[in-house]
Amino acid sequence: MNKSLLLVPMGLSALGTQAKDRQAADCDKPLNIIYIMTDDHSFQTISCYDGRYNDTPNLDRLAREGVRFGNSFVTNSISGPSRAVLVTGKHSHKNGFMRNDGQPFDGSQQTFPKLLQKGGYQTAIIGKWHLMSTPTGFDHWEILPGQGSYYNPDFITPEGTHREHGYVTNIITDKGIDYLEHRDKSKPFCLLLHHKAVHRIWMSDTCDLTQFEDKTFPLPETFRDDYAGRPAAADQKMSIDKDMDLAYDLKMIDSTIDTPLKGGIVHGELARMTPQQRAQWDSVYQPLIDRFLSLGLSGEKLAEWKYQRYMRDYLKSVKSLDDNIGRLMEYLEKEGLLENTLIVYASDQGFYMGEHGWFDKRFMYEESLRTPLLMRLPDCWKEAERGRVVDQMVQNIDYAPTFLTLAGVPVPEDIQGVSLVPLLKGEKPKHWRDAIYYHYYEFPGEHHVRKHYGVRTDRYKLIHFYGNDIDSWELYDLKTDPTELHNRYDDPKLAKVRAKMHEKLEQVREQYDDRTE
Ligand code: SGN
Ligand code: CA
């Protein structure tokens, strides 16, 4: 692998750069890191990214007091792989965790939390882990089993499994604050706070049940996509119309509604609720169910109704998340921790809010390739301008080297990402990467998205869907076709672009040493 292929000057001796970073950091104390990751949170539903649907004042504050990454992408748009990329700073084929339903993460490998520990940091993870093996590299850990539950969730700790009472987003935030209260105050810390929200099946806290019920959302332009010229997109199982389950996803629980996934909610989340929680839930959902039954919807009307229900439920769980970020910020402010703490907000990947008619993620199309990324800068970085949007293309392989650099810990050569610290400081590195690489592997699998890999530059995207029964290429001009409806792979007008993008793809596959197909 030749890491310097696309990133020549970034390769400047790691150590030299770090010393400079710390010096420029202008801080007396070492920096703390709080990395908040949510699950499936679309940038479309964060108001500093997109104002169409909701307000997220607390997330917007992170952007205002720091930077918002306008071109932030993942390498493999699915939870476990994204988390493995986060801790290792390496693409899936290098860290070995390529799909949610494969082998457990090999926790004996190098990760940034382990390197931080060696560098004198105390490290903690609270919330969704999803890597199937016991967390390593953390002085403190409390994780959800698998996907976890919204109501009265179980937590696994080194002492065993126990159940907590309440709503998961509040509990994870409480646990984060409690950890900060009781930490060893003589050492800097790195806390990973990994929420379950806003993952399927988008259940809200009891106090937010009525939120958004009076709102109607505009259908995305591509809601009725016919997938012409895109065979892989035509053959998925993530359509709001066809695959979103009325009982499970949309909570229409009634004896007259029998759906394939109904048992999942009846014996899952609803069965976990206390009688009091259930009564609060029913007081809002029973009238919605009655109304739905009285409407007798079908066809397009039903699809549109499903979209509205989906949006409302999803946004309710975003509301609770944003409120809890506010609660954490209040605590950090009160404790004087904003001075020397970097606060990062990211999701494990993006999500479809009805674009192309979909929910879920996985595809290399924009909505799921992108992921929100906000970084609130420590107050002691007096020189860095706040409220900036960073336009350079960044990827989740970059988080690990960023955190190591901030901690003054040397970045090992085999880490594939690059430190974002220069971008945080407002520098304009001359030779930043001009392409990102993506590879998705979970097929056969839930939602039936084919294996694919590809390359994206600031303007074009080339994707190869492959497998036993598919071998198809897609090429998009994101400038003229930002919603990716027109596959131009066979368009003679783009022949030169196509050849260049193939070259670029070869280049990034070589750079990241990916020969898997
Ligand atoms: C679950 C969901 C899927 C989702 C995957 C992966 N089904 O299996 O809809 O795509 O997680 O999501 S559910 O019936 O369990 O809700 S991920 O974010 O964890 O990768
Ligand atoms: Ca996810």
Side-chain angles (χ1 to χ4, degrees):
M1 179 200 54
N2 183 356
K3 193 165 164 181
S4 61
L5 244 178
L6 293 181
L7 290 161
V8 186
M10 301 295 298
L12 278 176
S13 134
L15 274 171
T17 315
Q18 280 155 18
K20 185 171 140 262
D21 286 333
R22 262 195 300 174
Q23 203 184 9
D26 191 23
C27 301
D28 306 332
K29 297 188 215 145
L31 290 179
N32 304 308
I33 297 157
I34 299 181
Y35 174 81
I36 307 165
M37 177 149 76
T38 45
D39 200 352
D40 292 0
H41 192 186
S42 54
F43 61 86
Q44 303 93 305
T45 56
I46 300 179
S47 42
C48 62
Y49 274 99
D50 182 338
R52 284 177 298 167
Y53 303 122
N54 60 338
D55 283 317
T56 50
N58 296 297
L59 289 172
D60 293 4
R61 174 183 173 186
L62 300 182
R64 203 171 52 243
E65 297 178 3
V67 303
R68 173 167 77 77
F69 287 84
N71 288 302
S72 149
F73 305 95
V74 292
T75 63
N76 182 358
S77 183
I78 187 157
S79 167
S82 170
R83 290 157 207 272
V85 167
L86 160 73
V87 293
T88 61
K90 296 175 186 172
H91 278 270
S92 304
H93 63 281
K94 287 287 178 192
N95 67 48
F97 199 92
M98 292 149 89
R99 42 195 296 163
N100 278 346
D101 57 2
Q103 295 300 309
F105 178 70
D106 170 10
S108 69
Q109 67 186 294
Q110 167 185 288
T111 64
F112 86 80
K114 288 186 193 170
L115 295 166
L116 285 184
Q117 280 181 322
K118 282 198 199 128
Y121 272 65
Q122 56 192 314
T123 58
I125 176 159
I126 296 168
K128 185 173 174 183
W129 170 243
H130 211 197
L131 289 178
M132 288 145 66
S133 53
T134 302
T136 55
F138 297 99
D139 303 305
H140 176 92
W141 56 269
E142 291 181 80
I143 57 168
L144 298 168
Q147 296 284 4
S149 305
Y150 277 108
Y151 276 89
N152 310 322
D154 293 332
F155 282 85
I156 309 172
T157 71
E159 285 75 46
T161 302
H162 67 282
R163 189 165 291 198
E164 299 277 1
H165 175 77
Y167 181 71
V168 70
T169 310
N170 303 328
I171 296 171
I172 289 174
T173 307
D174 287 344
K175 284 184 181 297
I177 292 174
D178 193 60
Y179 167 77
L180 294 174
E181 274 291 288
H182 297 103
R183 75 188 196 276
D184 172 356
K185 294 193 173 143
S186 68
K187 285 181 175 177
F189 66 85
C190 173
L191 167 63
L192 310 187
L193 209 54
H194 287 194
H195 286 283
K196 169 182 176 56
V198 294
H199 192 273
R200 192 183 186 187
I201 49 179
W202 320 295
M203 290 186 82
S204 84
D205 191 357
T206 47
C207 62
D208 294 318
L209 282 166
T210 58
Q211 297 279 335
F212 299 98
E213 284 302 332
D214 57 348
K215 294 252 173 5
T216 302
F217 300 95
L219 283 179
E221 267 177 70
T222 58
F223 188 70
R224 296 206 176 82
D225 192 352
D226 63 3
Y227 315 117
R230 288 159 290 148
D235 188 29
Q236 38 55 43
K237 290 191 172 29
M238 46 193 262
S239 145
I240 291 178
D241 183 7
K242 297 192 188 72
D243 307 304
M244 190 172 262
D245 192 280
L246 271 176
Y248 180 64
D249 290 307
L250 301 179
K251 297 101 184 162
M252 297 293 108
I253 309 297
D254 187 80
S255 58
T256 63
I257 300 177
D258 203 11
T259 65
L261 302 181
K262 185 177 182 178
I265 181 167
V266 172
H267 306 300
E269 289 287 358
L270 292 180
R272 302 183 72 87
M273 289 180 172
T274 63
Q276 200 200 5
Q277 289 165 338
R278 184 63 200 262
Q280 282 176 281
W281 182 271
D282 287 343
S283 73
V284 174
Y285 277 85
Q286 193 55 53
L288 296 172
I289 297 167
D290 295 341
R291 166 115 179 104
F292 172 68
L293 292 171
S294 75
L295 291 172
L297 299 171
S298 62
E300 288 204 351
K301 285 266 175 298
L302 178 59
E304 284 176 27
W305 178 92
K306 287 171 97 175
Y307 166 75
Q308 297 297 342
R309 272 258 48 87
Y310 164 51
M311 291 297 284
R312 288 175 193 141
D313 284 356
Y314 185 99
L315 291 172
K316 289 178 197 186
S317 53
V318 173
K319 162 83 169 56
S320 155
L321 197 62
D322 188 71
D323 289 345
N324 273 288
I325 303 286
R327 204 154 65 80
L328 177 67
M329 287 298 287
E330 248 172 57
Y331 172 81
L332 297 173
E333 197 158 8
K334 181 174 76 97
E335 292 299 307
L337 282 167
L338 295 181
E339 177 66 14
N340 61 321
T341 304
L342 176 84
I343 304 161
V344 180
Y345 184 84
S347 173
D348 60 346
Q349 12 67 207
F351 212 68
Y352 293 93
M353 308 306 306
E355 297 89 355
H356 304 286
W358 295 336
F359 64 105
D360 216 64
K361 52 260 176 178
R362 301 164 190 264
F363 279 106
M364 199 193 161
Y365 303 129
E366 290 294 281
E367 292 81 359
S368 45
L369 172 64
R370 287 177 176 271
T371 194
L373 182 63
L374 310 171
M375 295 198 188
R376 189 211 180 267
L377 303 176
D379 288 349
C380 62
W381 281 19
K382 299 222 164 31
E383 313 241 306
E385 190 200 328
R386 279 139 215 278
R388 268 177 297 131
V389 179
V390 171
D391 287 326
Q392 281 88 347
M393 292 192 283
V394 305
Q395 250 183 323
N396 50 347
I397 41 173
D398 301 331
Y399 307 170
T402 302
F403 301 156
L404 292 171
T405 302
L406 286 173
V409 173
V411 179
E413 265 298 305
D414 61 349
I415 283 194
Q416 295 186 309
V418 288
S419 165
L420 302 176
V421 172
L423 303 181
L424 291 178
K425 299 247 177 80
E427 290 163 21
K428 302 246 178 290
K430 264 199 208 134
H431 297 271
W432 193 255
R433 65 163 70 86
D434 61 1
I436 56 148
Y437 180 58
Y438 183 87
H439 200 156
Y440 170 81
Y441 303 86
E442 196 176 291
F443 186 88
E446 206 178 356
H447 299 293
H448 202 69
V449 174
R450 305 311 174 100
K451 292 182 187 181
H452 58 291
Y453 58 87
V455 65
R456 184 200 190 279
T457 63
D458 61 345
R459 175 149 185 193
Y460 298 103
K461 189 186 287 182
L462 177 69
I463 314 176
H464 183 209
F465 291 93
Y466 67 93
N468 292 338
D469 58 349
I470 195 164
D471 177 11
S472 88
W473 288 89
E474 298 185 7
L475 176 67
Y476 297 97
D477 179 345
L478 299 168
K479 191 168 169 198
T480 59
D481 178 27
T483 55
E484 298 161 298
L485 293 178
H486 307 289
N487 175 11
R488 311 272 302 275
Y489 191 73
D490 292 319
D491 181 346
K493 285 198 202 104
L494 257 62
K496 272 197 189 142
V497 170
R498 170 173 143 172
K500 273 227 147 71
M501 288 302 284
H502 270 289
E503 244 173 59
K504 200 86 227 165
L505 181 60
E506 274 316 299
Q507 200 183 352
V508 285
R509 276 173 70 80
E510 192 188 322
Q511 179 192 357
Y512 295 119
D513 193 26
D514 186 8
R515 290 292 151 212
T516 53
E517 177 181 333

